[in-house]
Amino acid sequence: MTNKNSTLALSLTAVLAVSTSDIALADKLDDIISSGTLRCAVTLDFPPMGFRDDDNQPAGFDVDYCNDLARVLDVDAEVVETPFPDRIPALVSNRADVIVASTSDTLERAKTVGMTVPYFAFQMVVLTREDTGIEGYDDLEGRAVGNTSGTYEAIALERDVDGWEGGSFRAYQTQNDTLLAVAQGHIEATVVTNTVAAATVNSGRYPGLKIAGDAPYVIDYVSLAARRSEYGLLNYLNLFVNQQVRTGRYAELYEKWVGGTPVELTVPGVYY
């Protein structure tokens, strides 16, 4: 090979190396920014996290969270309505860029998608009527209580009732049945997530119901999710969650959609 050809070959090799490097560095975060649109998979039948308002527009905590993320990325937000079972398929099939849909951070899910630090946490609370005199979980002992059959909170509540002196537990087929039983006085209280409780009280559908403190059950932490291989995007999402908390935005959205003091997203010895 002549010196001229050798020089040309080396130049082409350098150009290819730079191009290959650029391709390797490109990731989903770059794609989102260059496209000008962030597609969020959001569940819209889970108020107050996600639902359709009176104008049939997406609304709720998760919708606002998606909008906040799009805003800092300087792109438009697109809410991709996604039922709970379709959240991960929507992501892996590239119908959505990020899952913002109250997704519990289970180890099983993490085998398929990448999950961030928690951006929200569900606390179990006591839901009762204003005339029962119940002010907290300890007041449930000796009372007639109930819950939706097969749910985590039903199992936990029935187990506690079995250990108390007096009182009774009744199982119902649906959450609406349980709420109606409390409202009509068939039982005196139940235990539900803080979001369900807030949505129920704020809806006005069951007048006279109130939230009477937290239940001592395990907190359900939920994460944002992206494709497992998208380290750049996942790192950005983790920082975004951090910023939402330390700027007070998490507390602001919590007050807007749930009410009260936000559930802590930290786990002693794990998340700081």
Side-chain angles (χ1 to χ4, degrees):
M1 182 181 293
T2 65
N3 288 338
K4 183 177 181 180
N5 288 338
S6 178
T7 300
L8 179 60
L10 288 172
S11 298
L12 288 173
T13 300
V15 171
L16 287 172
V18 171
S19 299
T20 303
S21 175
D22 288 342
I23 291 172
L25 289 173
D27 62 9
K28 192 65 175 178
L29 181 58
D30 296 322
D31 293 342
I32 293 168
I33 294 171
S34 62
S35 73
T37 303
L38 170 71
R39 300 171 301 164
C40 298
V42 182
T43 299
L44 296 181
D45 60 355
F46 188 52
M49 303 303 289
F51 61 98
R52 289 192 176 276
D53 63 18
D54 292 340
D55 296 321
N56 202 37
Q57 295 301 307
F61 185 101
D62 285 341
V63 174
D64 279 356
Y65 216 82
C66 172
N67 289 332
D68 285 353
L69 179 57
R71 189 175 301 112
V72 297
L73 289 171
D74 197 24
V75 298
D76 295 327
E78 178 184 335
V79 172
V80 180
E81 185 171 0
T82 311
F84 278 128
D86 198 35
R87 289 172 295 181
I88 291 178
L91 186 65
V92 298
S93 66
N94 199 37
R95 286 185 284 118
D97 303 313
V98 179
I99 298 175
V100 190
S102 305
T103 307
S104 300
D105 58 354
T106 67
L107 293 175
E108 187 62 30
R109 286 194 177 111
K111 294 177 183 178
T112 307
V113 298
M115 311 200 79
T116 67
V117 295
Y119 79 98
F120 192 88
F122 293 98
Q123 170 71 56
M124 298 297 174
V125 299
V126 175
L127 186 66
T128 186
R129 295 188 312 282
E130 295 174 350
D131 62 358
T132 61
I134 294 173
E135 299 299 333
Y137 190 80
D138 290 343
D139 294 336
L140 298 186
E141 184 168 357
R143 305 287 192 126
V145 299
N147 218 310
T148 308
S149 181
T151 62
Y152 163 77
E153 52 268 33
I155 295 170
L157 180 57
E158 185 173 15
R159 182 177 60 241
D160 283 352
V161 170
D162 289 341
W164 290 337
E165 294 183 5
S168 62
F169 177 88
R170 181 178 295 181
Y172 296 90
Q173 290 301 307
T174 69
Q175 188 167 81
N176 284 336
D177 290 341
T178 302
L179 298 175
L180 187 62
V182 177
Q184 293 182 342
H186 301 301
I187 56 176
E188 295 179 86
T190 187
V191 174
V192 294
T193 66
N194 54 334
T195 54
V196 167
T200 300
V201 172
N202 294 336
S203 72
R205 183 179 177 186
Y206 304 106
L209 294 188
K210 71 170 187 176
I211 299 170
D214 295 340
Y217 299 164
V218 174
I219 293 174
D220 180 17
Y221 295 96
V222 298
S223 296
L224 306 178
R227 287 190 175 188
R228 196 177 61 182
S229 59
E230 297 295 346
Y231 301 112
L233 178 56
L234 287 166
N235 286 337
Y236 190 90
L237 292 175
N238 278 325
L239 179 59
F240 173 70
V241 172
N242 186 304
Q243 294 271 5
Q244 289 285 88
V245 174
R246 72 190 200 214
T247 61
R249 180 58 172 166
Y250 168 60
E252 181 182 335
L253 290 180
Y254 196 99
E255 173 62 29
K256 175 182 177 180
W257 294 110
V258 182
T261 303
V263 178
E264 288 288 337
L265 299 179
T266 55
V267 179
V270 182
Y271 295 122
Y272 299 95

